[in-house]
Amino acid sequence: MHDLLLRGGTVYDGLGGPGAVADVAVTGDQVVALGADLGPARRVIDVTGLAVAPGFIDAHSHSDPVPLMPDPQPFKLYQGVTTEIVGNCGFSFAPLDDATIEATGPLFAEMAGGVPVVPRDFAGYLADIAAAGPTNHIAALVGHNTLRAYANGMDERLRPGALAQMCRLADEAFAAGAVGLSSGLIYPPGSYGDTDELVALARVAHRWNRPYTTHLRNEDDRLAEAMDEAITIATRARVRLQISHCKVAGRANHGGGKALLARLHAARQSGVDVRGDQYPYRAGGTFLNALLPGAALIGGTAAMRARLADPAGRARLRAMAEDLTRPNGFWARVTPADVLVTTHGTRPEATGRTLAELAGSGDPFDTLCAVLVDDPGAGMVITLMAEEDVETIMADPLIGIGSDNGPPVGLQHPRTWGCFPRVLGEYVRERGLLTLSEAVRKMTSAIADQFGLAGRGYVGAGAVADLVVFDPATIGHDGTYAVPDVRPTGVEYVLLAGQAVVERGRFTGERRGRVLRG
Ligand SMILES: [Zn+2]
């Protein structure tokens, strides 16, 4: 007797196989059989006309503190996501000590969505997540920015012994179960690190057979160079490489999607196991201070405040920010109307407005500086990409899906609530850019393989029964930049290790997620 039978659905195996009508039998936490006439079950759910797929795996999440929020947060389950890879862009929420929290100031606070940022080693972080009971499964990367801030504060130059300490901390994190190493090379203090520093850390990841994921040092004018750096790091350290949120930013570079993919494929030809992920939007979202040159943050957020408040310091930063010959933040690559302030710690009236609106007839750079003096960790949504490049990149088989979400509170980029349904509704059903089976593969096995999540990312006998049942005719997301926190449509059932946590589109309220350790 099986525990559960999903009867009559069209099964997408996650490996790219075409949809096929089959029953799926689940016993305990596993799929035990697929096919017809599988015998009796304690519970039968008729899913005729619906798609049955492996639960989606979000390659690029920033939900690190979300499981510690007081209430369960089903915003990913509603998208069909059963596992999130957190700790991306170099920012893991461990290891942290008091000095690191002090030095990084509002950066972590802004990502935390109201959860207190407290000192923890990596094992402690995973233990706290497990104890809280996440709403979906969590697998965590250890981040270069965090390691560097811990060992070296917000200083530009590494102190003697700091790199060795970073490597030791990374080793501890892998021993505790970190599933890979991440970097975010536009963000201080990670951006102060050079290639050799990253190779040293990636070599630690190699010893544990864990991948290296990177938010490249540049995603606009120097994208090719930045990709070459990532490929060099992966080659020298012999690690799998995941290029995070693949994009071509900056108007002057639009149309460069093909060149990005050519580099990815060339690297594979030369023996690097490289893939990428992407979110299906033209706009990105990050710290507002990413508009400024990295030099703005040397010494930490207090030092940045002092620089921005001082007319001479502000003038120096403006000159650097306007110098298009160097990679100096996004300022000169967008217009103030492209920048929507989404989070601000002390000026709620600034959120939901563009920099152009906030500046009015004043100077937009001065406005930016004033807004950042009030909250150096403020967030933004910034329109940087061309739709043509979004589609070109998405169509490539090496590219998986990752949302790059923020905490599900306040005004955030709509990807937080709708990334996966948007791919399936907009790019599969409406535009026909991808087949459904290929889109499912990009959300499942393509990610599970890269991050070493054994037994997940496919539907087959012996697989963990993380499953999603959705309606291909209605799945989608209507969220906008102005009103992003809208429930997606079309996701009917979600199972975590055989237990239904979404039933007929409703969250059961249970925290059945687990911590997946590398
Ligand atoms: Zn990033």
Side-chain angles (χ1 to χ4, degrees), residues 99-131:
T100 313
I101 294 166
E102 171 75 28
T104 50
L107 296 182
F108 278 98
E110 203 70 39
M111 288 186 281
V115 171
V117 181
V118 302
R120 287 186 183 96
D121 61 10
F122 209 87
Y125 166 74
L126 292 181
D128 284 353
I129 297 293

PDB file of all heavy atoms in Angstrom, residues 99-131:
ATOM      1  N   ALA A  99      31.984  42.056  15.736  1.00  0.00           N
ATOM      2  CA  ALA A  99      32.780  43.045  14.996  1.00  0.00           C
ATOM      3  C   ALA A  99      32.363  43.084  13.524  1.00  0.00           C
ATOM      4  O   ALA A  99      32.301  44.150  12.912  1.00  0.00           O
ATOM      5  CB  ALA A  99      34.263  42.704  15.121  1.00  0.00           C
ATOM      6  N   THR A 100      32.064  41.928  12.942  1.00  0.00           N
ATOM      7  CA  THR A 100      31.655  41.871  11.533  1.00  0.00           C
ATOM      8  C   THR A 100      30.303  42.546  11.348  1.00  0.00           C
ATOM      9  O   THR A 100      30.092  43.295  10.389  1.00  0.00           O
ATOM     10  CB  THR A 100      31.561  40.404  11.064  1.00  0.00           C
ATOM     11  OG1 THR A 100      32.735  39.715  11.488  1.00  0.00           O
ATOM     12  CG2 THR A 100      31.440  40.315   9.557  1.00  0.00           C
ATOM     13  N   ILE A 101      29.406  42.293  12.278  1.00  0.00           N
ATOM     14  CA  ILE A 101      28.076  42.908  12.190  1.00  0.00           C
ATOM     15  C   ILE A 101      28.196  44.421  12.308  1.00  0.00           C
ATOM     16  O   ILE A 101      27.563  45.169  11.568  1.00  0.00           O
ATOM     17  CB  ILE A 101      27.144  42.310  13.275  1.00  0.00           C
ATOM     18  CG1 ILE A 101      26.893  40.831  12.977  1.00  0.00           C
ATOM     19  CG2 ILE A 101      25.832  43.083  13.349  1.00  0.00           C
ATOM     20  CD1 ILE A 101      26.272  40.055  14.120  1.00  0.00           C
ATOM     21  N   GLU A 102      29.072  44.853  13.205  1.00  0.00           N
ATOM     22  CA  GLU A 102      29.317  46.279  13.392  1.00  0.00           C
ATOM     23  C   GLU A 102      29.913  46.887  12.116  1.00  0.00           C
ATOM     24  O   GLU A 102      29.466  47.930  11.632  1.00  0.00           O
ATOM     25  CB  GLU A 102      30.269  46.451  14.586  1.00  0.00           C
ATOM     26  CG  GLU A 102      30.803  47.840  14.817  1.00  0.00           C
ATOM     27  CD  GLU A 102      29.751  48.765  15.419  1.00  0.00           C
ATOM     28  OE1 GLU A 102      28.864  48.243  16.119  1.00  0.00           O
ATOM     29  OE2 GLU A 102      29.823  49.990  15.160  1.00  0.00           O
ATOM     30  N   ALA A 103      30.901  46.200  11.520  1.00  0.00           N
ATOM     31  CA  ALA A 103      31.617  46.753  10.353  1.00  0.00           C
ATOM     32  C   ALA A 103      30.716  46.825   9.133  1.00  0.00           C
ATOM     33  O   ALA A 103      30.806  47.761   8.334  1.00  0.00           O
ATOM     34  CB  ALA A 103      32.853  45.899  10.048  1.00  0.00           C
ATOM     35  N   THR A 104      29.860  45.832   8.947  1.00  0.00           N
ATOM     36  CA  THR A 104      29.020  45.805   7.748  1.00  0.00           C
ATOM     37  C   THR A 104      27.747  46.616   7.944  1.00  0.00           C
ATOM     38  O   THR A 104      27.048  46.904   6.971  1.00  0.00           O
ATOM     39  CB  THR A 104      28.651  44.357   7.364  1.00  0.00           C
ATOM     40  OG1 THR A 104      28.150  43.694   8.524  1.00  0.00           O
ATOM     41  CG2 THR A 104      29.864  43.599   6.863  1.00  0.00           C
ATOM     42  N   GLY A 105      27.472  46.982   9.185  1.00  0.00           N
ATOM     43  CA  GLY A 105      26.375  47.896   9.470  1.00  0.00           C
ATOM     44  C   GLY A 105      25.074  47.463   8.840  1.00  0.00           C
ATOM     45  O   GLY A 105      24.659  46.313   8.990  1.00  0.00           O
ATOM     46  N   PRO A 106      24.426  48.365   8.116  1.00  0.00           N
ATOM     47  CA  PRO A 106      23.067  48.084   7.632  1.00  0.00           C
ATOM     48  C   PRO A 106      23.003  47.106   6.463  1.00  0.00           C
ATOM     49  O   PRO A 106      21.898  46.765   6.036  1.00  0.00           O
ATOM     50  CB  PRO A 106      22.551  49.459   7.194  1.00  0.00           C
ATOM     51  CG  PRO A 106      23.681  50.396   7.273  1.00  0.00           C
ATOM     52  CD  PRO A 106      24.884  49.707   7.811  1.00  0.00           C
ATOM     53  N   LEU A 107      24.143  46.641   5.933  1.00  0.00           N
ATOM     54  CA  LEU A 107      24.072  45.762   4.758  1.00  0.00           C
ATOM     55  C   LEU A 107      23.296  44.489   5.085  1.00  0.00           C
ATOM     56  O   LEU A 107      22.376  44.094   4.375  1.00  0.00           O
ATOM     57  CB  LEU A 107      25.478  45.417   4.258  1.00  0.00           C
ATOM     58  CG  LEU A 107      26.307  46.602   3.737  1.00  0.00           C
ATOM     59  CD1 LEU A 107      27.652  46.124   3.219  1.00  0.00           C
ATOM     60  CD2 LEU A 107      25.564  47.370   2.656  1.00  0.00           C
ATOM     61  N   PHE A 108      23.685  43.830   6.180  1.00  0.00           N
ATOM     62  CA  PHE A 108      22.970  42.604   6.555  1.00  0.00           C
ATOM     63  C   PHE A 108      21.568  42.927   7.076  1.00  0.00           C
ATOM     64  O   PHE A 108      20.618  42.212   6.793  1.00  0.00           O
ATOM     65  CB  PHE A 108      23.760  41.814   7.600  1.00  0.00           C
ATOM     66  CG  PHE A 108      24.839  40.970   6.998  1.00  0.00           C
ATOM     67  CD1 PHE A 108      26.151  41.410   6.965  1.00  0.00           C
ATOM     68  CD2 PHE A 108      24.537  39.753   6.417  1.00  0.00           C
ATOM     69  CE1 PHE A 108      27.153  40.641   6.390  1.00  0.00           C
ATOM     70  CE2 PHE A 108      25.528  38.975   5.834  1.00  0.00           C
ATOM     71  CZ  PHE A 108      26.842  39.420   5.819  1.00  0.00           C
ATOM     72  N   ALA A 109      21.462  44.023   7.819  1.00  0.00           N
ATOM     73  CA  ALA A 109      20.152  44.379   8.395  1.00  0.00           C
ATOM     74  C   ALA A 109      19.112  44.536   7.289  1.00  0.00           C
ATOM     75  O   ALA A 109      17.973  44.093   7.417  1.00  0.00           O
ATOM     76  CB  ALA A 109      20.277  45.660   9.205  1.00  0.00           C
ATOM     77  N   GLU A 110      19.529  45.148   6.176  1.00  0.00           N
ATOM     78  CA  GLU A 110      18.577  45.401   5.094  1.00  0.00           C
ATOM     79  C   GLU A 110      18.126  44.093   4.431  1.00  0.00           C
ATOM     80  O   GLU A 110      16.997  43.972   3.974  1.00  0.00           O
ATOM     81  CB  GLU A 110      19.209  46.325   4.062  1.00  0.00           C
ATOM     82  CG  GLU A 110      18.227  47.080   3.215  1.00  0.00           C
ATOM     83  CD  GLU A 110      17.468  48.152   3.998  1.00  0.00           C
ATOM     84  OE1 GLU A 110      18.082  48.826   4.851  1.00  0.00           O
ATOM     85  OE2 GLU A 110      16.256  48.282   3.763  1.00  0.00           O
ATOM     86  N   MET A 111      19.037  43.103   4.398  1.00  0.00           N
ATOM     87  CA  MET A 111      18.687  41.800   3.804  1.00  0.00           C
ATOM     88  C   MET A 111      17.880  40.945   4.761  1.00  0.00           C
ATOM     89  O   MET A 111      17.305  39.935   4.358  1.00  0.00           O
ATOM     90  CB  MET A 111      19.967  41.039   3.425  1.00  0.00           C
ATOM     91  CG  MET A 111      20.688  41.606   2.223  1.00  0.00           C
ATOM     92  SD  MET A 111      22.092  40.546   1.745  1.00  0.00           S
ATOM     93  CE  MET A 111      23.298  41.031   2.953  1.00  0.00           C
ATOM     94  N   ALA A 112      17.873  41.335   6.053  1.00  0.00           N
ATOM     95  CA  ALA A 112      17.366  40.423   7.077  1.00  0.00           C
ATOM     96  C   ALA A 112      15.850  40.449   7.215  1.00  0.00           C
ATOM     97  O   ALA A 112      15.280  39.577   7.855  1.00  0.00           O
ATOM     98  CB  ALA A 112      18.015  40.742   8.422  1.00  0.00           C
ATOM     99  N   GLY A 113      15.194  41.464   6.637  1.00  0.00           N
ATOM    100  CA  GLY A 113      13.737  41.505   6.690  1.00  0.00           C
ATOM    101  C   GLY A 113      13.199  41.527   8.112  1.00  0.00           C
ATOM    102  O   GLY A 113      12.173  40.912   8.391  1.00  0.00           O
ATOM    103  N   GLY A 114      13.899  42.198   8.999  1.00  0.00           N
ATOM    104  CA  GLY A 114      13.412  42.330  10.368  1.00  0.00           C
ATOM    105  C   GLY A 114      13.945  41.289  11.327  1.00  0.00           C
ATOM    106  O   GLY A 114      13.750  41.394  12.538  1.00  0.00           O
ATOM    107  N   VAL A 115      14.621  40.262  10.806  1.00  0.00           N
ATOM    108  CA  VAL A 115      15.191  39.228  11.679  1.00  0.00           C
ATOM    109  C   VAL A 115      16.492  39.785  12.275  1.00  0.00           C
ATOM    110  O   VAL A 115      17.308  40.338  11.545  1.00  0.00           O
ATOM    111  CB  VAL A 115      15.491  37.949  10.873  1.00  0.00           C
ATOM    112  CG1 VAL A 115      16.277  36.943  11.701  1.00  0.00           C
ATOM    113  CG2 VAL A 115      14.191  37.337  10.372  1.00  0.00           C
ATOM    114  N   PRO A 116      16.686  39.671  13.590  1.00  0.00           N
ATOM    115  CA  PRO A 116      17.937  40.173  14.180  1.00  0.00           C
ATOM    116  C   PRO A 116      19.154  39.468  13.581  1.00  0.00           C
ATOM    117  O   PRO A 116      19.140  38.250  13.399  1.00  0.00           O
ATOM    118  CB  PRO A 116      17.803  39.828  15.670  1.00  0.00           C
ATOM    119  CG  PRO A 116      16.359  39.555  15.894  1.00  0.00           C
ATOM    120  CD  PRO A 116      15.788  39.091  14.588  1.00  0.00           C
ATOM    121  N   VAL A 117      20.175  40.258  13.230  1.00  0.00           N
ATOM    122  CA  VAL A 117      21.425  39.690  12.709  1.00  0.00           C
ATOM    123  C   VAL A 117      22.326  39.447  13.914  1.00  0.00           C
ATOM    124  O   VAL A 117      22.710  40.396  14.597  1.00  0.00           O
ATOM    125  CB  VAL A 117      22.088  40.661  11.714  1.00  0.00           C
ATOM    126  CG1 VAL A 117      23.367  40.052  11.153  1.00  0.00           C
ATOM    127  CG2 VAL A 117      21.112  41.007  10.595  1.00  0.00           C
ATOM    128  N   VAL A 118      22.624  38.184  14.187  1.00  0.00           N
ATOM    129  CA  VAL A 118      23.359  37.849  15.415  1.00  0.00           C
ATOM    130  C   VAL A 118      24.593  37.024  15.082  1.00  0.00           C
ATOM    131  O   VAL A 118      24.666  36.396  14.024  1.00  0.00           O
ATOM    132  CB  VAL A 118      22.462  37.066  16.414  1.00  0.00           C
ATOM    133  CG1 VAL A 118      21.221  37.868  16.779  1.00  0.00           C
ATOM    134  CG2 VAL A 118      22.056  35.714  15.828  1.00  0.00           C
ATOM    135  N   PRO A 119      25.576  37.051  16.006  1.00  0.00           N
ATOM    136  CA  PRO A 119      26.796  36.258  15.772  1.00  0.00           C
ATOM    137  C   PRO A 119      26.492  34.757  15.751  1.00  0.00           C
ATOM    138  O   PRO A 119      25.759  34.271  16.618  1.00  0.00           O
ATOM    139  CB  PRO A 119      27.685  36.602  16.980  1.00  0.00           C
ATOM    140  CG  PRO A 119      27.096  37.817  17.589  1.00  0.00           C
ATOM    141  CD  PRO A 119      25.641  37.805  17.256  1.00  0.00           C
ATOM    142  N   ARG A 120      27.043  34.079  14.739  1.00  0.00           N
ATOM    143  CA  ARG A 120      26.864  32.628  14.625  1.00  0.00           C
ATOM    144  C   ARG A 120      28.005  32.085  13.781  1.00  0.00           C
ATOM    145  O   ARG A 120      28.418  32.746  12.826  1.00  0.00           O
ATOM    146  CB  ARG A 120      25.597  32.271  13.835  1.00  0.00           C
ATOM    147  CG  ARG A 120      24.287  32.473  14.506  1.00  0.00           C
ATOM    148  CD  ARG A 120      23.203  31.923  13.590  1.00  0.00           C
ATOM    149  NE  ARG A 120      21.891  32.142  14.142  1.00  0.00           N
ATOM    150  CZ  ARG A 120      21.104  33.172  13.828  1.00  0.00           C
ATOM    151  NH1 ARG A 120      21.504  34.066  12.951  1.00  0.00           N
ATOM    152  NH2 ARG A 120      19.915  33.299  14.383  1.00  0.00           N
ATOM    153  N   ASP A 121      28.459  30.872  14.079  1.00  0.00           N
ATOM    154  CA  ASP A 121      29.316  30.209  13.100  1.00  0.00           C
ATOM    155  C   ASP A 121      28.400  29.491  12.108  1.00  0.00           C
ATOM    156  O   ASP A 121      27.166  29.505  12.255  1.00  0.00           O
ATOM    157  CB  ASP A 121      30.335  29.270  13.765  1.00  0.00           C
ATOM    158  CG  ASP A 121      29.692  28.140  14.550  1.00  0.00           C
ATOM    159  OD1 ASP A 121      28.456  27.949  14.452  1.00  0.00           O
ATOM    160  OD2 ASP A 121      30.423  27.441  15.268  1.00  0.00           O
ATOM    161  N   PHE A 122      29.001  28.866  11.079  1.00  0.00           N
ATOM    162  CA  PHE A 122      28.153  28.321  10.016  1.00  0.00           C
ATOM    163  C   PHE A 122      27.281  27.171  10.520  1.00  0.00           C
ATOM    164  O   PHE A 122      26.096  27.078  10.194  1.00  0.00           O
ATOM    165  CB  PHE A 122      29.004  27.880   8.815  1.00  0.00           C
ATOM    166  CG  PHE A 122      28.248  27.972   7.522  1.00  0.00           C
ATOM    167  CD1 PHE A 122      28.226  29.146   6.800  1.00  0.00           C
ATOM    168  CD2 PHE A 122      27.514  26.892   7.054  1.00  0.00           C
ATOM    169  CE1 PHE A 122      27.496  29.257   5.624  1.00  0.00           C
ATOM    170  CE2 PHE A 122      26.778  26.987   5.883  1.00  0.00           C
ATOM    171  CZ  PHE A 122      26.769  28.169   5.171  1.00  0.00           C
ATOM    172  N   ALA A 123      27.901  26.324  11.354  1.00  0.00           N
ATOM    173  CA  ALA A 123      27.135  25.203  11.921  1.00  0.00           C
ATOM    174  C   ALA A 123      25.973  25.739  12.759  1.00  0.00           C
ATOM    175  O   ALA A 123      24.861  25.189  12.731  1.00  0.00           O
ATOM    176  CB  ALA A 123      28.045  24.320  12.768  1.00  0.00           C
ATOM    177  N   GLY A 124      26.223  26.826  13.477  1.00  0.00           N
ATOM    178  CA  GLY A 124      25.184  27.426  14.310  1.00  0.00           C
ATOM    179  C   GLY A 124      24.046  27.990  13.470  1.00  0.00           C
ATOM    180  O   GLY A 124      22.869  27.858  13.825  1.00  0.00           O
ATOM    181  N   TYR A 125      24.407  28.604  12.349  1.00  0.00           N
ATOM    182  CA  TYR A 125      23.375  29.132  11.450  1.00  0.00           C
ATOM    183  C   TYR A 125      22.483  28.000  10.949  1.00  0.00           C
ATOM    184  O   TYR A 125      21.250  28.073  11.011  1.00  0.00           O
ATOM    185  CB  TYR A 125      24.019  29.883  10.280  1.00  0.00           C
ATOM    186  CG  TYR A 125      23.048  30.156   9.148  1.00  0.00           C
ATOM    187  CD1 TYR A 125      22.065  31.135   9.271  1.00  0.00           C
ATOM    188  CD2 TYR A 125      23.087  29.393   7.977  1.00  0.00           C
ATOM    189  CE1 TYR A 125      21.159  31.369   8.243  1.00  0.00           C
ATOM    190  CE2 TYR A 125      22.189  29.623   6.943  1.00  0.00           C
ATOM    191  CZ  TYR A 125      21.221  30.603   7.081  1.00  0.00           C
ATOM    192  OH  TYR A 125      20.313  30.823   6.076  1.00  0.00           O
ATOM    193  N   LEU A 126      23.114  26.919  10.443  1.00  0.00           N
ATOM    194  CA  LEU A 126      22.317  25.804   9.915  1.00  0.00           C
ATOM    195  C   LEU A 126      21.466  25.166  11.018  1.00  0.00           C
ATOM    196  O   LEU A 126      20.311  24.785  10.785  1.00  0.00           O
ATOM    197  CB  LEU A 126      23.222  24.760   9.265  1.00  0.00           C
ATOM    198  CG  LEU A 126      23.939  25.188   7.974  1.00  0.00           C
ATOM    199  CD1 LEU A 126      24.780  24.033   7.427  1.00  0.00           C
ATOM    200  CD2 LEU A 126      22.968  25.690   6.914  1.00  0.00           C
ATOM    201  N   ALA A 127      22.038  25.081  12.216  1.00  0.00           N
ATOM    202  CA  ALA A 127      21.280  24.491  13.329  1.00  0.00           C
ATOM    203  C   ALA A 127      20.066  25.358  13.683  1.00  0.00           C
ATOM    204  O   ALA A 127      18.978  24.843  13.952  1.00  0.00           O
ATOM    205  CB  ALA A 127      22.193  24.323  14.548  1.00  0.00           C
ATOM    206  N   ASP A 128      20.259  26.686  13.659  1.00  0.00           N
ATOM    207  CA  ASP A 128      19.144  27.581  13.981  1.00  0.00           C
ATOM    208  C   ASP A 128      18.041  27.492  12.915  1.00  0.00           C
ATOM    209  O   ASP A 128      16.847  27.533  13.233  1.00  0.00           O
ATOM    210  CB  ASP A 128      19.636  29.038  14.086  1.00  0.00           C
ATOM    211  CG  ASP A 128      20.386  29.285  15.394  1.00  0.00           C
ATOM    212  OD1 ASP A 128      20.404  28.369  16.248  1.00  0.00           O
ATOM    213  OD2 ASP A 128      20.947  30.382  15.550  1.00  0.00           O
ATOM    214  N   ILE A 129      18.454  27.386  11.654  1.00  0.00           N
ATOM    215  CA  ILE A 129      17.472  27.254  10.572  1.00  0.00           C
ATOM    216  C   ILE A 129      16.690  25.951  10.744  1.00  0.00           C
ATOM    217  O   ILE A 129      15.454  25.917  10.637  1.00  0.00           O
ATOM    218  CB  ILE A 129      18.179  27.253   9.194  1.00  0.00           C
ATOM    219  CG1 ILE A 129      18.881  28.582   8.943  1.00  0.00           C
ATOM    220  CG2 ILE A 129      17.197  26.929   8.067  1.00  0.00           C
ATOM    221  CD1 ILE A 129      17.985  29.749   8.785  1.00  0.00           C
ATOM    222  N   ALA A 130      17.443  24.869  11.023  1.00  0.00           N
ATOM    223  CA  ALA A 130      16.793  23.564  11.179  1.00  0.00           C
ATOM    224  C   ALA A 130      15.823  23.592  12.359  1.00  0.00           C
ATOM    225  O   ALA A 130      14.712  23.063  12.288  1.00  0.00           O
ATOM    226  CB  ALA A 130      17.854  22.482  11.367  1.00  0.00           C
ATOM    227  N   ALA A 131      16.242  24.252  13.444  1.00  0.00           N
ATOM    228  CA  ALA A 131      15.399  24.296  14.644  1.00  0.00           C
ATOM    229  C   ALA A 131      14.135  25.125  14.401  1.00  0.00           C
ATOM    230  O   ALA A 131      13.053  24.799  14.905  1.00  0.00           O
ATOM    231  CB  ALA A 131      16.193  24.870  15.816  1.00  0.00           C
TER     232      ALA A 131
END
